[in-house]
Structures are given as structure tokens and as C-alpha cells.
Amino acid sequence: MAVGTVVSRATGLIRNVLQAAALGTGLLASTYNTANTVPTSLYTLLIGGALNAVLVPQLVRARATEADGGRAYEQRLVTLVLCVLAVGTVLAVWLAPQIVSLYMRDSPSHHEAFQLTVVFARFLLPQIFFYGVFGMLGQVLNAREKFGAMMWTPVLNNAVLIGMFAAYLGMMTLPDRVEDITGTQVWLLGLGTTCGIALQALALVPFVRATGFRFRPRFDWRGTGLGKSAHAAKWTLLYVLANQVALTVVTNYANAADQKLPHDGVGYSAYTYAQTIWMLPQSIVTVSLVTAMLPRMSRAAAEGRLTELRGDLTRALRLSGVVIVPTAFLFLALGPQIASLLYAHGASDAESALPLGQMLQAFGLGLVPFSVQYLLLRGFYAFEDTRTPFWMTAWTAAVNIALATVCHLTLPARWAVVGMAAAYTLSYAAGLGLTVWRLRRRLGSRIDPAGSLTGGYAKLMLAAALSAALGWAATRACAQSLGTGTGPTALALAAGVLTLALAYFALTRLLKIPEVRRR
């Protein structure tokens, strides 16, 4: 699973680099990125959150307890999901201008940017249906403990988008203003992006069929147990809504910064690219662990084996922390160098990539509470408790919105979105403490009764902080002697990363951290 995720994320990063080279990091790029955010957000609101958090435990339970192995339940569930997605997609395309207005302000001076975002949105909103197909078929596979296909098929989407952006870069002229983009370029970007998601979804069909699943539409939903799923999904919907409200507010503020400084890379596109890099270790390590362990944790919770459930959570936290903690400090120490190496090409340059690197630094340490909270919330989902995660997320989202609003109102446009990235970090730090307290009450004791988790993370933080300082010094020394440019930047960054990695490995061995020593 992790290998598939690594390949998927690596090709996704290549796609992002080509996208930044083609569209830059300013207002033009933000019209496309904002429109591409809308279908993901609406899919998550419609059904995505419920699929990920609620329906896997329900599918596992149905397969274990129903006489037909849960087949009828699966058929009804897939039928219901497809109906919701079809209706939701049609409505979203129809209401595209109203939806876009939530994410980007329409004003006389920036009306062209708003209109271009609406045009992109009409091309991209059909992705809602295909995201749903991918998610539903993926959960059918996950319930059967078949995880590989869902990790590998996004590579197909990335391959389509890499080809699309390469074709875009091969065009005779690349616009750097919203007003200069051509109809052909808009069609290429819009159709190519949606086709990539469609291919990703349909590629799961052979794998699902190989498990014996055959789709037969069933509309006899009443009295079949779907009501319980809908009740559980109610809180998940509110959970997703809280996250989406925060995302909408931040996107609106970040687009406002882009509108003030349209060519400086200080707004939403830079924020998105920085967050994409920041999320890589979470996607590769933490999500892979959770995807594999959630069915097992759900069975342990259903059978009252709380000791085993605590053991699974503790093991996941320990294993993920070994990678997550040093990566967080890597982003803090070397964010600008990473951004310059990846994004200072084509329509972007080193100056416009600098704010992106500073956003990556601001996100940096937030990776630790973000990853830990993500894991701990799955402890509640194993009990089919979706109410508590909603309240945890609502608190985190409220803190994020409040801090982002302060940044938007008080900081100049150049620094406002950097401040919002730091606000994101602080909001998850605030949410983690509350989540730990509530999960301890749910489990009836500490997550790790031996009490070694806190000490283990303290050692990891110490080793990572010292290693990051050495990595930063090595990068700075190399940069001063080698000069500027892509080659020197790559060499300086490589020296810093290597220094950090070697120092971290040596320090974790010295501090006797078992997850490192046993390897």
C-alpha cells in the first residue's frame, strides 16, 4: 500500500510542478485551482466523508453478520450513493456561479478572473460523480481487505494530467494574465482534468469484479439497515461541513490576496502547492496505516477487545511518528529551498516561489498534531461514533477560521496567507489536546497505559529539531559557496536533507527509540 501511495504521490508531485510551470502561482493559477477545489469539496460534503469514516465499519459488520455475506447491503448502498452523486453533480453544474462566489469574490476589477473560474468549474464539476464511484468501489475493496488497487489507480489520473500540462507547456504562448488565456487552453485544462478522474474511477471496476462483486441496482432501501448508516453519516456530514466551512473561508481570503498581488504568488495557488507538499508524508505513511488498520480496529471495537484497539492505535502512532516528526522539522528548516527547487520554473521564478516556501515553513510543525489527530479520530470511528469527531473538528475549524480572519484583516497581502498557514498549524495543535482527552474517556483509560507515547514523541521531537538545525546549516553553507540556480539549489538541498537524515538516524539510535533500533 505504501509503495502504491508513494508512486501515486510522486507522480502527483510531478503533475503539480508541471502545473506551476504552466500556470504559475498567481491569480491565473488560482482560477484553475479554485475551480478544481469545488468538486472535491462538494463530493466530500455529499457522500465522501460518510464513505471514508462510516461505511467501512458498516460494510465489515454486514459481511460478518448477514447471511448473504453483506451482498444485498452492498448493492443497496452502491445504488443509493450513485443516485445521490448523479443528482448532486447535475445541481452543482447548474449552480456553478453561485458556488464559485463562495470561494472567490466577484468585483468589477476582477470580473474576468471570476468568470474564468466559473467556466473551469463547469468543466470540472462532473468530477463529483467520478470521485464518488472511485470512493465507493474503493470502500467495497477495503471491506474485503483489498487495498492495493485504490492506492495505485490514482497514478493513471496523474499520468493523464502530466500529459495534459506537458501539452499545455508545448503550446506556442503561455499566458501570464487571466485575460490572455485562450478557449483552446481552457478546453484542454477542463476536459483533461475531468477525464483523468474518470479514468481513475473506472480503473477500479476490474479489481472489484475480481473479488466477486457484481452491481445490481436495488432501490428497496427501507428497513434494510441503511437508516443506521444514514444516522451515523449525519454527524460525519456535519464533520465534513465544519472542515469545508474553514476551507471556504481560507480560500476566499487567499484569493483576495491573489487579487491584490496577482503576479506575486502570495495567495491560494501557493497555499495549495505548499499544502500538497506538506501532506505527502501524511498520505504515504499515516493514511496507509489507517486504511489497513480500520477494518481490524472496527472488529476489535465491535467485540469489546479494547486492549487490542489501544494496542493498534499505539502501534500506528509510534510507527507514523518516526517519519512524520522529522519531516515536519524538515519543512520548517528547508521550506524555501524545497519550493525554489520544485516551483521556480516556467511561469514562476525564485521570487514568486519564495512565499510558497514560507507557507511550507508555517505549515511545517503542524504535521505532527495533524497526523496524530487523524489517527486518534479513527479510534472513535471504530466504535461507529461519528458525533465526537464532529465536535473535535468543529473546535479545530473554529480556531482556524478565527486565526485566519485575524491574518486577513491585520497582515499585508504579502504575508496574510503565510499567517493563515501558521493558523492552520495552531488550530490542529489546539484540537489535539481535546481529542486525546475525549478518546481517553471513550477507552476508559490512557491510549497507551504504559505511558511511553509521550516520552517517545518527546525524544523524536528532540532528535528531529537538532537534526533540522544541522541540515539547515549544511544547506546554507553549500548555498553560499555554490551560488544560485536550479543546480546549486538542488545540491545545497540534497546536502541539507542528507545531513538531517544521518543526524536523525544517529540521534534516534542514541536515544534508544525502539521503532528505529529494531530496523
Side-chain angles (χ1 to χ4, degrees):
M1 285 173 55
V3 171
T5 306
V6 167
V7 175
S8 173
R9 297 298 173 174
T11 52
L13 183 60
I14 295 170
R15 178 199 75 200
N16 260 329
V17 170
L18 286 174
Q19 178 180 332
L23 300 176
T25 58
L27 182 58
L28 175 60
S30 291
T31 62
Y32 172 84
N33 285 321
T34 300
N36 209 21
T37 296
V38 173
T40 308
S41 299
L42 292 181
Y43 156 70
T44 307
L45 276 173
L46 282 170
I47 205 74
L51 280 175
N52 292 330
V54 177
L55 298 182
V56 168
Q58 296 282 359
L59 287 172
V60 170
R61 187 181 296 275
R63 286 176 59 79
T65 60
E66 295 185 7
D68 65 349
R71 290 187 180 86
Y73 182 87
E74 283 181 332
Q75 301 288 0
R76 296 185 185 103
L77 185 59
V78 173
T79 304
L80 177 61
V81 168
L82 293 180
C83 289
V84 171
L85 289 168
V87 173
T89 300
V90 171
L91 288 174
V93 173
W94 179 42
L95 297 172
Q98 291 79 10
I99 294 170
V100 169
S101 68
L102 297 174
Y103 295 86
M104 177 177 284
R105 302 169 194 177
D106 185 11
S107 64
S109 59
H110 297 100
H111 183 66
E112 292 86 355
F114 178 83
Q115 286 297 101
L116 179 58
T117 307
V118 172
V119 172
F120 275 133
R122 292 198 190 277
F123 278 108
L124 302 180
L125 281 167
Q127 292 179 42
I128 295 171
F129 183 81
F130 294 110
Y131 274 127
V133 172
F134 176 76
M136 186 67 251
L137 296 182
Q139 300 305 349
V140 169
L141 289 169
N142 288 345
R144 291 165 165 75
E145 299 190 10
K146 304 291 184 181
F147 305 111
M150 200 175 183
M151 301 300 173
W152 281 97
T153 47
V155 176
L156 297 174
N157 172 46
N158 290 332
V160 170
L161 295 187
I162 287 170
M164 180 190 76
F165 285 117
Y168 185 96
L169 284 166
M171 291 182 173
M172 294 298 294
T173 59
L174 293 179
D176 59 0
R177 299 190 311 156
V178 169
E179 297 84 351
D180 296 333
I181 194 167
T182 67
T184 301
Q185 290 167 325
V186 171
W187 275 77
L188 173 63
L189 295 173
L191 288 179
T193 305
T194 296
C195 287
I197 296 297
L199 178 61
Q200 171 183 299
L202 297 177
L204 284 183
V205 172
F207 295 98
V208 173
R209 289 181 62 84
T211 67
F213 177 81
R214 298 292 185 273
F215 177 56
R216 301 288 185 272
R218 295 193 61 161
F219 298 92
D220 53 333
W221 301 330
R222 187 180 296 275
T224 58
L226 288 176
K228 181 180 180 181
S229 297
H231 179 73
K234 171 186 68 177
W235 290 105
T236 303
L237 176 62
L238 293 172
Y239 165 92
V240 170
L241 182 61
N243 271 327
Q244 293 304 317
V245 168
L247 173 63
T248 302
V249 171
V250 170
T251 303
N252 193 294
Y253 290 162
N255 277 324
D258 266 329
Q259 289 175 335
K260 290 181 180 178
L261 300 172
H263 304 293
D264 292 8
V266 299
Y268 182 62
S269 287
Y271 185 93
T272 301
Y273 297 147
Q275 196 172 52
T276 298
I277 300 172
W278 180 75
M279 287 288 290
L280 281 173
Q282 164 79 2
S283 303
I284 293 169
V285 179
T286 310
V287 174
S288 296
L289 283 171
V290 167
T291 303
M293 295 178 69
L294 185 56
R296 170 176 165 168
M297 290 165 59
S298 299
R299 287 192 294 270
E303 296 168 7
R305 293 180 280 113
L306 298 187
T307 300
E308 184 175 327
L309 177 58
R310 283 193 293 267
D312 285 340
L313 282 172
T314 300
R315 190 177 309 111
L317 287 166
R318 286 180 171 280
L319 289 173
S320 64
V322 169
V323 177
I324 294 295
V325 172
T327 308
F329 278 91
L330 168 68
F331 293 150
L332 176 65
L334 303 177
Q337 291 82 2
I338 295 172
S340 178
L341 179 64
L342 294 178
Y343 293 103
H345 309 285
S348 302
D349 55 25
E351 184 176 353
S352 61
L354 179 59
L356 193 162
Q358 291 165 336
M359 291 175 202
L360 182 56
Q361 287 182 301
F363 276 124
L365 295 185
L367 188 62
V368 178
F370 180 83
S371 176
V372 172
Q373 186 176 31
Y374 182 90
L375 281 165
L376 295 183
L377 289 180
R378 270 59 198 170
F380 294 107
Y381 291 139
F383 288 103
E384 300 182 23
D385 174 6
T386 54
R387 180 176 179 175
T388 303
F390 159 68
W391 290 111
M392 302 301 97
T393 301
W395 162 247
T396 303
V399 174
N400 189 23
I401 291 171
L403 293 176
T405 301
V406 171
C407 294
H408 173 66
L409 295 176
T410 62
L411 295 177
R414 167 62 179 82
W415 293 102
V417 184
V418 176
M420 292 177 207
Y424 194 87
T425 289
L426 293 175
S427 67
Y428 272 93
L432 178 59
L434 190 60
T435 302
V436 170
W437 175 67
R438 291 301 298 268
L439 186 58
R440 285 178 62 175
R441 292 185 60 185
R442 187 71 176 83
L443 293 173
S445 68
R446 299 178 62 168
I447 300 166
D448 178 19
S452 60
L453 262 179
T454 303
Y457 265 78
K459 290 180 179 179
L460 288 174
M461 297 281 280
L462 175 61
L466 294 174
S467 302
L470 293 173
W472 175 84
T475 300
R476 183 176 176 83
C478 288
Q480 289 177 342
S481 61
L482 296 174
T484 59
T486 301
T489 299
L491 291 174
L493 182 60
V497 172
L498 181 61
T499 300
L500 187 154
L502 293 175
Y504 176 73
F505 182 75
L507 287 169
T508 51
R509 300 274 294 185
L510 182 64
L511 294 171
K512 299 181 179 179
I513 296 173
E515 285 73 25
V516 178
R517 295 183 69 204
R518 71 167 59 111
R519 285 157 177 75

